[in-house]
Amino acid sequence: MAENVWILGIHMTKFGKHPDKDTVDLATEAAMGALNDAGVQMKDMGILAAGSLMGAGLGMGQSIQKQIGQTGIPVYNVANACATGATALRTAVMSVKAGESDYGLAVGVEKLAGAGLLAGGARKSDENVFTPSGRYGAVAPVDGRIGTETMPGVFAQIGMEYLHEHEYGGEQFELFARISEKNHAHSTLNPLAAYTKKMSLEEIMGDVMIAYPNTRPMCSANCDGAAAAVVVSDSVLKKLSKEQQSRAVKIAASILTTDPWEEACQVLPNVNTLTRNAAKQAYEQAGVGPEDLDLVELHDCFATAELVHYDNLGLCEPGGATDFFESGATWRDGKTPVNVSGGLESKGHPIAATGIANVWEICHHLRGEAGDRQIEGAKVGLAHVIGLGSACGVHILEKAA
Amino acid sequence: MAKQIPLVDYLVLGDAPHLVAHECASCGARFFDRRNACASCSGTKFKSVDVPTEGELKAYTIVSFAAPGVPVPFVAGVIDCGGTSVRANVINTDPDPEHVKLGMKVRLATNVVGTDDEGTEAIGFGFEPY
Ligand SMILES: [Zn+2]
């Protein structure tokens, strides 16, 4: 039986605009913050896993080492779309679990402030003489002609598909806008969020439409930020101080899945099945069920995505996501608070940092250090991310006994 | 009449325009792109099958912000054509939620996407309500 792995230290930077810092500045701030929080040093680390999606291929891990300690340890530079941070964390966890390292450091960083719409890319002018090319033998760009490749549009369809499969009597646009209203309300208590302004339903619905039913505040906010975590093995933790032991958070489950083939999955990405599979494996590994969760941070890259993940993570009855939301269960005073950080819609979504920042939020509550937004008595929490393509990371975290 | 070429190779033009899919000979999984093998069963034999031209809209969005050069607004969606899901725009209707409804019946229609220097027209497709 492999050892349990614990989060010993974890840190996230303020999300938002950091015009005077580059990705290495942000990554080192997070990494040094996590080491400091853990009470250990770079020379103790046996592995470093790092992700920076926009800078993939540039060796973010080695760049971090060159600022804070070139100790010669193995570096894994990972990329898995929006699940990059969770993948870095899982890589460090695997190394410790395998007994190859006593301590591991995982870092995710991104600079996106001011970045426009993600994906799709500029359409090139049409060719002078039509010549079929690519896997669909296309003679001209297909984005906008055969569906959409924009993220807000893809995830809008994912939310609408849910309402088609599970009939909803209410107003569709308003339903999704109310999910966004919740997350923006939650963000007012999070000083590290990129946007902390409460927004009324009217303001959300009246804002710029990006891809119906997602208006601008219903989309994840492009911003800069980094997050990092130090993980440690059970046996090493036992030799550390009482304070370190009491603040350590148990990684009760660390799961990564990809999307299994099913009809339509190459037509519209299916973010459901891989999340369901990850959740099922995570609950089994942790020995807990959705009813045991005191809080959940899930991947609300768009308001339309949050709805489907209530169902995918088993937080509600199958097919019952709309009723579940309308019961108030996912507000911070509800049965299963979801995205009390403000979620990606207000906290922000610096892609590779997100998968560790979500874990940071859960740890903060389990340690009882979340200040004004503390979920009282939180003992178990779940962090979920989806990277389109697709990859899903789920971590279940438990307060130290 | 101008010479025509389909926007993508899985659109067949002529008197009865329709889409064709690569169907895995072992498991029946269908794909529209060039295949190396089957994502469902890893089989390597495929046959070409016609996809029904009528279907039901099972998901959609109305895109108002797109990459530079893409005209907006437009309706993007997924159509269930007798069990085969197809990605397409919903065309020949107003792009608003009053005219586009989940579950509505739609059928394949073609449109001219552009003309090249030799006068060849590229023909695309979408699905229109009926
Ligand atoms: Zn097959």
Side-chain angles (χ1 to χ4, degrees), chain A residues 330-360:
Chain A
T330 60
W331 282 77
R332 53 172 291 116
D333 57 356
K335 175 172 155 271
T336 312
V338 172
N339 292 334
V340 296
S341 66
L344 278 51
E345 293 163 66
S346 14
K347 180 176 71 177
H349 183 24
I351 302 174
T354 293
I356 298 175
N358 289 354
V359 171
W360 178 87

Side-chain angles (χ1 to χ4, degrees), chain B residues 24 26-29 38 40-43:
Chain B
C24 174
S26 341
C27 77
C38 176
S40 173
C41 76
S42 307

